[in-house]
Amino acid sequence: MSERHGRSLALDAIRAGLDRLRTAGTGFEPETFFGECAGALERESRPGLQAVLNLTGTVLHTNLGRAWAAPEAIEAVMAVMGQPSSLEFDLATGRRGERDSHVEKLLCRITGAEAATLVNNNAAAVLLTLTALAARREVIVSRGELIEIGGAFRMPDIMSRAGCKLREVGTTNRTHGRDYEEAIGRSTAALMRVHPSNYQVEGFTSIVDTRALAAIAHAHDLPMLEDLGSGSLVDLAPYGLPHEPTPQESLADGADVVTFSGDKLLGGPQAGLIVGRKALIDRIRKCPLKRALRLDKMTIAALEATLRLYLDPDRLRQRLPALRLLTRPRDEIHACAVRLQPAFAAVLGERATVDVVECASQIGSGSLPVDRLPSAALSIRMAGRGGGLDRLAARLRALPRPVIGRIHDNALLLDLRCLEADGEAVLRAQLPLLAA
Ligand SMILES: *Cc1c(COP(=O)(O)O)cnc(C)c1O
């Protein structure tokens, strides 16, 4: 034990074992005793944050870490994490550099923006933008866009944290250009649009689009801000996915500052990206809050490598995991289900029935909430009165590479969209651990 885990942890484990023995009042049996102590120590030294197999059917699952990185991004992170790097050092002049500079040019090239800056996530991007451009003044937002996103990101709360006053206009389902115009006054700092990522209003609705809102803002010499949430960097329609607004479209339509996430549809690391007019981005960058929200070198490395993939759109789908999984053909997922079904049926035996079923995956992270992607799953139903489904789900989560499915309609569903060849091999290899 002390060979493997060190003296201090081994002693702690033995003391805890002796305490258990005293409480239980059972006799001391050396082999059992040390076996149990070693087992407990082994369980405790498993990392808390570990890789899992996401078979939930939600591709960009916030609780499972959203997008996973392309191999190029992983390599870039490894190259800078174990040694010094040119993080804030200009190799051409030998002077102090800017940490955003590694990514800014790429972002400008892809989105057509004049300038760009980066922070820790999109919530921080919105907070920083509002703090820098609108503190102590009013920002006008439609009542249809006062959204809450999972994990307590509420637009009105962010506004008050940024020290600006929210001026709500219109109604939940309808807001018109004149609603914004009538609200503009001496203390107005900006007009803002927020992409209602995770819900959709249907029926009798009316919204003011980016182009129209930017025109109103500019007629009053005000900046127009847009929070896109996910903000795909490519048009998803040619990939057979529903269209999601891109920052390049927003900027072309006249938005002055656009914010979006790095780890949603973009498929990179957690980050908040801010692109737009140079004069405004400069003000945002100079805000003291920027220092508190800045990115680490590992994130910058991963983001730069991910953005480089966008320079070669023809191969983007193969190289960017998020896009590859979202566009994975249903037949390929179905074939994986057919391959795995006998293995699951064999290991679960009489205890359960395992079927291949059609299902629908979701994009996740609040993107395109209504659209579903046709997929295939293994559906596991327990025999007899059907008890033990929760226990099976727990045993799958306890595997060396935990398997996360979802329980629906008395069955455990394992949506195989996100299980590619390497994951399938891992899953197959650990299946015997589910026997009896
Ligand atoms: C997801 C989202 C955010 C928060 O982004 P994070 O990167 O998770 O901080 C903010 N606004 C909108 C519209 C979003 O969809």
Side-chain angles (χ1 to χ4, degrees), residues 66 121-124 126 147 149 153 155 194-197 227-230 261-264 270-271 365-366:
R66 289 193 185 159
N121 53 31
N122 187 34
V126 174
I147 54 166
I149 295 158
F153 175 94
M155 218 12 128
V194 183
H195 186 50
S197 313
D227 175 22
L228 281 185
S230 202
S261 287
D263 57 352
K264 293 185 180 174
Q270 179 189 301
S365 280

Side-chain angles (χ1 to χ4, degrees), residues 344 346-349 351 392 395 399 430-436:
F344 266 91
V347 74
L348 294 173
R351 290 178 287 161
L392 178 63
R395 290 190 68 195
L399 288 171
Q430 60 184 8
L431 271 189
L433 296 172
L434 290 180

